[in-house]
């Protein structure tokens, strides 16, 4: 046993090596907690760099044979996500209120994490996202900050996501595209009726609709088939392996090294440290709810922006009484969800937005709005799609003045399903320190662990952003020729209910100052030299929606930097 | 076999045979024929419900077909929404039986109050049921939510869930359950783009 993480000889070329089965008593080089967009990629990079990697995933390992277009299984049974009966949460609007049990947070709970069921919009952040605080200045009531890294630091890794994971798009099509070192590896998906309508609306408003970058194969790619255009992306697993989830990309690559074991149905409840403050391993519940202590030389937590801070807060010890890696008190703070607003339009002819990938055209003219002109800080982009599967359409799809039952309701369903377009606005949302996740000791999950308690109130600036984008989304539909259009109401800032937040960002932010951030610019915990956090929690600002591309790019970068540090002997281990 | 399962399996088998290339195929006729046979077999049976009593089932038919009426096109009754409810109670939603019974009891209490001599929603005329649903929507929003949820799920869930018979719900809204599509998808990227 050594006192540093070391790397191992590369496997010789030849038949695919056997997937290892590590003993809990063996200190693997890295335990990676979570197998989603971050964990899958980190496991790939570390195992390909020669390290022994064990991935622990809460959820089951599923495959194409498990994925069906069954709305009940997805919506009611929460087949691919955390279930209310097992892992609820609680919510309150401010710390002086008692939190109520509900489902504030939804996350992917299967090997591949949220990337199994995501829509696959893969926008890069723009250079401005990393240094906007310097440009705009402080905003009262927020912890708005620049990132400690720049777009240029991340660019090579965005390119790696596009090529190693697989993103279809058209370089140069957007006048607002950030600089890139390579074009996309695959052409964009065919333009759908939603895209044609968006082009029409954009033209009238003086904007540019351009081919959407999507993490879905538009032709056979790296051993995977091209997309069958079945249309069941959001919420569903891909039955042909065309969606570039880590389940179909990074994880198989990691397993091919012969050094990576993916252990599903393993729910980590604590990261253990020794009296020197070094991580020694993790305690998890296996499928039979038996506790197992797995030794590790280093741990990388990639459990998502809600589960990562929760695990740190549950990993209290005498040495770390406020939770592991939380000397700053910032763990769990600054949670951001991205603004997400929707307007709806019914068109004369059939759109059939339920076919094909969700999005074929997007608009970025509004990425960075001028606060002097609009009266608030913020920005974002638009897409057109039809998000409603048949049952959901019945609940939410018809125009607001339509009767909710009877012959007219039925007529509206029959007319609208194939003709309705949802115009989405994806926007900034500010980091607010009092918007946070803490442990709720009064509500336990099915394993007896405290659930996440979300305390959250929209910042007044963001309410203006959401309203502006909802209004413009409706304008776009009208300009595209919608016969009827309406926007869903935007938040008012005093909601006592919440549910289903999915973009989980900012809760273990990176920064140069250990007093105000949890990890350094290389994703290492300021407080614990052999502990790393990589996922949406690392983000300092939330971008303009669509964070998964950035989470994967950060994971490629973190994997690279962690491997380099380990090879240089710069990651001490408990031995 | 659920139809989604059959069609997906058929798709996968065909896709594998085609070397993973694009496949544009509708439903294999054999699978569709097997489904029709299954439907006939189920409809022929006398003991139609696994969990519901006939009285409960009749009330559910009456109420859900007020939400989705049988007019020019099939409604909740023809789509077999009641079979969706029954199958859900027997399988995935066993804990819903009591709330469902409580809802029906409440609704039928209103029936008896508003129409003396009547005791079940199923005994009301079309016009009376419209009055009843108007009352439920206004006075009992939770019951309305349950009834509407069951109606929509029973109309539009996969037929393997018990409802959406002969894909009546999907046909109504124009949804086609193919597992592969090729552009053009709609009028605007098809006819309208010419």
């Amino acid at each position: 046993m050594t006192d540093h993480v070391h790397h191992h000889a590369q496997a010789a070329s030849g038949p695919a090596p056997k997937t290892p089965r590590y003993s809990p008593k063996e200190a693997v080089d890295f335990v990676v907690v979570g197998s989603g967009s971050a964990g899958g990629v980190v496991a790939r990079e570390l195992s390909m760099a020669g390290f022994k990697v064990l991935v622990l995933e809460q959820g089951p390992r599923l495959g194409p044979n498990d994925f069906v277009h069954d709305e009940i299984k997805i919506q009611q049974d929460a087949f691919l996500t955390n279930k209310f009966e097992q892992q609820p949460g609680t919510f309150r609007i401010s710390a002086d209120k008692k939190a109520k049990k509900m489902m504030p947070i939804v996350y992917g709970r299967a090997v591949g994490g949220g990337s199994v069921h995501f829509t696959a919009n893969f926008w890069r952040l723009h250079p401005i996202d990393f240094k906007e605080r310097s440009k705009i200045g402080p905003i009262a009531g927020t912890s708005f900050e620049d990132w400690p890294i720049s777009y240029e630091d991340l660019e090579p890794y965005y390119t790696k996501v596009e090529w190693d994971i697989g993103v279809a798009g058209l370089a140069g099509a957007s006048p607002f595209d950030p600089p890139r070192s390579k074009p996309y590896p695959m052409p964009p998906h065919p333009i759908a009726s939603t895209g044609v309508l968006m082009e029409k609306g954009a033209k009238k408003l003086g904007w540019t609709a351009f081919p959407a970058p999507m993490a879905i194969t538009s032709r056979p790619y790296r051993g995977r088939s091209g997309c069958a255009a079945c249309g069941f992306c959001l919420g569903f697993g891909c039955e042909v392996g065309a969606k570039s989830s880590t389940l179909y990309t990074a994880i198989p690559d990691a397993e091919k090294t012969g050094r990576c074991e993916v252990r599903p149905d393993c729910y980590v409840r604590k990261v253990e440290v020794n009296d020197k403050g070094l991580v020694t391993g993790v305690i998890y519940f296996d499928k039979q709810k038996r506790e197992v202590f797995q030794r590790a030389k280093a741990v990388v937590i990639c459990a998502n922006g809600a589960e990562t801070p929760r695990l740190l807060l549950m990993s209290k010890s005498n040495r770390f009484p406020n939770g592991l890696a939380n000397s700053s008190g910032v763990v769990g703070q600054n949670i951001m969800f991205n603004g997400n607003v929707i307007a709806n339009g019914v068109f004369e002819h059939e759109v059939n937005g339920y076919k094909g990938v969700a999005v074929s055209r997007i608009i970025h003219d509004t990425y960075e709005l001028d606060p002097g002109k609009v009266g608030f800080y913020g920005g974002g982009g638009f897409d057109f799609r039809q998000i409603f599967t048949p049952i959901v359409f019945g609940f939410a799809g018809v125009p607001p003045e339509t009767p909710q039952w009877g012959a007219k309701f039925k007529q509206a369903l029959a007319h609208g399903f194939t003709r309705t377009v949802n115009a989405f606005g994806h926007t900034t949302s500010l980091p607010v320190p009092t918007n946070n996740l803490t442990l709720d000791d009064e509500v336990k999950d099915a394993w007896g662990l405290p659930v996440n308690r979300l305390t959250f109130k929209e910042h007044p600036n963001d309410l203006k952003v959401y309203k502006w984008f909802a209004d413009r989304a409706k304008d776009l539909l009208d300009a595209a020729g919608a016969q009827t259009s309406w926007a869903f109401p935007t938040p008012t800032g005093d909601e006592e209910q919440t549910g289903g937040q999915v973009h989980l960002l900012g809760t273990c932010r990176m920064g140069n100052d250990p007093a105000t951030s949890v990890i350094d610019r290389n994703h290492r915990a300021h407080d614990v030299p052999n502990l790393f956090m990589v996922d949406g929690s690392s983000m300092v600002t939330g971008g303009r929606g669509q964070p998964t591309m950035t989470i994967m790019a950060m994971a490629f970068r973190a994997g690279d930097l962690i491997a380099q540090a380990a090879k240089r002997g710069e990651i001490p281990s408990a031995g | 076999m659920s139809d989604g399962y059959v069609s997906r399996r058929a798709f996968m088998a065909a896709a594998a045979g085609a070397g993973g290339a694009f496949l544009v195929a509708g439903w294999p006729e054999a699978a569709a024929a097997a489904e029709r046979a299954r439907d006939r077999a189920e409809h022929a049976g006398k003991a139609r419900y696994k969990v519901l009593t006939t009285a409960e089932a009749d009330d559910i038919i009456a109420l859900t077909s007020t939400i989705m009426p049988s007019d020019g096109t099939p409604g909740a009754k023809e789509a077999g929404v009641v079979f969706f409810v029954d199958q859900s109670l027997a399988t995935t939603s066993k804990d819903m039986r009591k709330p469902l019974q409580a809802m029906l009891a409440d609704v039928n209490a209103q029936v008896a109050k508003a129409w003396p001599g009547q005791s079940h929603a199923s005994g009301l005329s079309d016009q009376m049921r419209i009055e009843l649903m108007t009352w439920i929507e206004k006075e009992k929003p939770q019951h309305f939510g349950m009834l509407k949820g069951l109606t929509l799920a029973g109309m539009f869930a996969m037929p393997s869930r018990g409802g959406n018979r002969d894909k009546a719900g999907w046909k109504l809204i124009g949804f086609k359950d193919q597992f592969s599509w090729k552009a053009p998808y709609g009028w605007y990227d098809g006819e309208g783009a010419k």
Side-chain angles (χ1 to χ4, degrees):
Chain A
M1 207 53 61
T2 66
D3 60 356
H4 287 87
V5 178
H6 280 208
H7 85 292
H8 307 268
Q10 299 280 335
S13 62
K18 224 176 131 198
T19 301
R21 288 285 302 165
Y22 295 118
S23 159
K25 293 193 183 86
E26 178 185 355
V28 294
D29 293 320
F30 293 96
V31 156
V32 177
V33 182
S35 65
S37 295
V41 168
V42 166
R44 177 190 194 265
E45 294 304 286
L46 292 175
S47 59
M48 287 176 82
F51 297 99
K52 292 181 176 178
V53 177
L54 170 64
V55 179
L56 297 173
E57 164 58 46
Q58 280 188 18
R61 184 154 193 161
L62 305 168
N65 288 329
D66 301 302
F67 300 144
V68 288
H69 295 179
D70 183 345
E71 283 189 83
I72 303 281
K73 193 169 183 177
I74 294 298
Q75 302 282 354
Q76 180 181 295
D77 302 348
F79 178 56
L80 297 174
T81 50
N82 53 316
K83 295 171 177 56
F84 180 72
E85 298 75 19
Q86 289 186 329
Q87 294 174 300
T90 61
F91 173 72
R92 60 188 180 180
I93 193 169
S94 58
D96 59 334
K97 298 254 172 34
K98 184 168 166 55
K100 289 183 187 146
K101 189 173 164 181
M102 56 187 88
M103 200 64 177
I105 305 283
V106 170
Y107 61 87
R109 197 173 183 278
V111 172
S115 74
V116 174
H117 72 260
F118 67 15
T119 310
N121 288 293
F122 259 40
W123 306 0
R124 293 178 176 211
L125 294 189
H126 292 192
I128 185 65
D129 284 298
F130 298 86
K131 51 190 183 189
E132 204 161 19
R133 162 66 175 77
S134 290
K135 183 173 176 183
I136 299 283
I139 298 177
T142 75
S143 53
F144 193 31
E145 277 295 343
D146 287 350
W147 292 49
I149 60 172
S150 67
Y151 176 80
E152 289 69 30
D153 291 323
L154 215 46
E155 198 288 330
Y157 302 100
Y158 277 129
T159 298
K160 220 165 156 46
V161 176
E162 289 168 0
W163 285 79
D164 289 13
I165 300 294
V167 181
L170 183 62
S174 164
F176 311 97
D177 230 8
R180 55 169 51 249
S181 51
K182 262 173 116 171
Y184 289 96
M186 283 174 275
H189 288 266
I191 187 165
S193 280
T194 47
V196 173
L197 290 168
M198 173 168 249
E199 284 186 345
K200 189 178 168 193
K203 204 172 171 187
K204 277 200 186 163
L205 297 188
W207 293 341
T208 305
F210 64 92
M214 302 297 287
I216 298 173
T217 56
S218 59
R219 59 170 172 77
Y221 188 72
R222 297 192 73 215
R224 294 188 286 136
S225 77
C227 172
C230 79
F232 280 73
C233 297
L234 176 55
F236 295 82
C238 180
E239 58 263 62
V240 298
K243 198 194 278 189
S244 299
S245 72
T246 53
L247 175 65
Y248 292 133
T249 57
I251 287 167
D253 286 349
E255 289 177 323
K256 269 182 218 142
T257 66
R259 286 182 289 274
C260 179
E261 178 191 350
V262 177
R263 210 175 280 171
D265 303 300
C266 293
Y267 185 20
V268 178
R269 74 160 183 84
K270 191 174 187 192
V271 180
E272 286 279 35
V273 291
N274 64 11
D275 54 9
K276 293 184 182 121
L278 287 172
V279 165
T280 58
V282 300
I283 301 171
Y284 67 85
F285 290 109
D286 70 8
K287 196 173 184 180
Q288 287 74 37
K289 293 196 177 181
R290 294 174 302 209
E291 283 199 5
V292 178
F293 175 64
Q294 172 68 50
R295 296 186 64 208
K297 294 177 187 171
V299 169
V300 189
I301 309 179
C302 305
N304 78 46
E307 290 292 276
T308 291
R310 177 170 173 246
L311 178 56
L312 292 173
L313 295 174
M314 290 194 296
S315 299
K316 277 182 221 157
S317 59
N318 289 337
R319 196 184 171 95
F320 298 101
N322 299 323
L324 188 57
N326 193 27
S327 65
S328 64
V330 173
V331 168
Q333 288 189 5
N334 303 309
I335 192 163
M336 299 169 281
F337 300 120
N338 291 138
N340 185 294
V341 298
I342 303 173
N344 312 275
V346 184
F347 288 84
E348 181 183 3
H349 300 289
E350 287 197 352
V351 174
N352 293 328
Y354 72 88
K355 301 178 185 179
V357 300
V359 177
S360 64
R361 289 292 181 277
I362 59 173
I363 291 171
H364 274 175
D365 294 72
T366 49
Y367 201 89
E368 192 187 349
L369 299 172
D370 178 354
K373 284 186 185 157
V374 294
F376 55 82
Y377 150 76
F382 296 95
D383 73 58
F384 273 21
R385 58 176 105 168
Q386 208 273 52
I387 193 180
F388 301 126
T389 41
I391 299 174
V392 178
F393 186 77
F395 280 107
V398 298
E401 68 276 14
T402 312
Q404 288 301 298
W405 54 276
K408 284 187 179 156
F409 174 63
K410 190 180 166 195
Q411 274 166 23
L413 293 181
H415 179 77
F417 181 75
T418 56
R419 292 176 178 81
T420 299
V421 175
N422 312 120
F424 273 67
H426 307 279
T427 80
T428 47
S429 58
L430 284 161
V432 174
T434 49
N435 285 344
N436 63 25
L437 292 169
T438 49
L439 299 179
D440 193 330
D441 289 313
E442 292 182 31
V443 180
K444 298 287 166 63
D445 70 9
W447 290 260
L449 305 175
V451 304
N452 254 327
R453 175 176 53 206
L454 172 66
T455 305
F456 188 86
K457 184 176 172 66
E458 300 279 5
H459 190 277
N461 177 90
D462 290 344
L463 299 176
K464 293 178 191 166
V465 178
Y466 305 156
K467 182 71 170 63
W468 192 91
F469 273 86
D471 289 346
R472 296 296 86 71
K474 185 176 176 303
D475 290 347
L476 269 170
L477 290 163
D478 292 340
Q483 293 183 319
T484 309
S485 67
W486 69 99
F488 286 142
T490 54
T492 57
D494 53 7
E495 284 87 359
E496 303 268 350
Q497 295 277 326
T498 190
Q501 300 288 357
V502 293
H503 292 178
L504 312 168
L505 313 174
T507 48
C508 295
R509 60 163 41 179
M510 62 163 63
N512 294 325
D513 182 355
T516 57
S517 59
V518 180
I519 55 171
D520 68 15
R521 67 196 309 277
N522 298 342
H523 292 265
R524 193 189 310 234
H526 288 302
D527 299 347
V528 187
N530 62 341
L531 176 67
F532 301 83
M533 273 73 81
V534 188
D535 54 30
S537 74
S538 313
M539 294 175 72
V540 181
T541 58
R544 272 75 175 161
Q546 323 304 16
T548 312
M549 169 53 142
T550 297
I551 291 169
M552 281 196 187
M554 288 193 301
F556 270 109
R557 179 174 173 274
D560 188 6
L561 297 175
I562 294 168
Q564 287 180 34
K567 286 178 183 176
R568 290 194 301 262
E570 292 171 2
I571 303 179
S573 73
Chain B
M1 263 327 108
S2 81
D3 60 340
Y5 186 68
V6 170
S7 60
R8 194 191 56 75
R9 282 290 296 272
F11 171 82
M12 294 297 285
F22 279 106
L23 177 83
V24 180
W27 272 70
E29 180 49 32
E35 244 182 72
R36 286 195 294 273
R38 179 209 66 178
D39 274 8
R40 277 196 301 275
E42 285 191 17
H43 282 291
K46 277 281 182 198
R48 304 187 78 176
Y49 306 114
K50 299 179 178 87
V51 174
L52 293 170
T53 66
T54 305
E56 287 167 347
D58 289 348
D59 283 338
I60 288 167
I61 292 169
L63 293 164
T64 58
S65 62
T66 309
I67 291 172
M68 289 292 274
S70 313
D71 37 25
T73 49
K77 188 176 178 185
E78 295 75 21
V81 166
V82 70
F83 295 103
F84 167 83
V85 176
D86 188 53
Q87 183 172 318
S88 299
L89 294 175
T91 54
T92 55
S93 304
K94 289 177 181 163
D95 56 340
M96 281 298 292
R97 177 135 171 85
K98 277 190 177 160
L100 183 86
Q101 286 176 325
M103 180 272 292
L104 289 176
D106 257 13
V107 167
N108 284 331
Q110 174 64 16
V111 169
K113 192 175 154 196
W115 295 280
Q118 296 290 342
S119 57
H120 280 278
S122 56
L124 303 181
S125 70
D126 286 359
Q127 184 51 41
M128 290 170 182
R129 283 191 286 115
I130 288 172
E131 287 172 35
L132 175 64
M133 193 59 67
T134 306
W135 178 85
I136 297 171
E137 185 185 21
K138 189 164 172 236
E139 303 296 333
K140 299 280 178 183
Q142 268 196 314
H143 293 345
F144 180 74
M146 184 193 289
L147 284 165
K148 186 169 173 183
L150 293 173
T151 308
L152 293 173
M155 286 294 295
F156 301 123
M158 293 174 82
S160 60
R161 294 280 178 180
N164 195 7
R165 294 264 156 131
D166 195 28
K167 297 175 198 163
W170 288 347
K171 285 175 187 165
L172 174 73
I173 60 172
F175 170 76
K176 298 183 186 74
D177 59 329
Q178 262 178 230
F179 278 72
S180 176
W181 293 102
K182 197 170 181 179
Y185 302 132
W187 187 85
Y188 298 93
D189 61 322
E191 278 297 299
K194 284 175 190 164

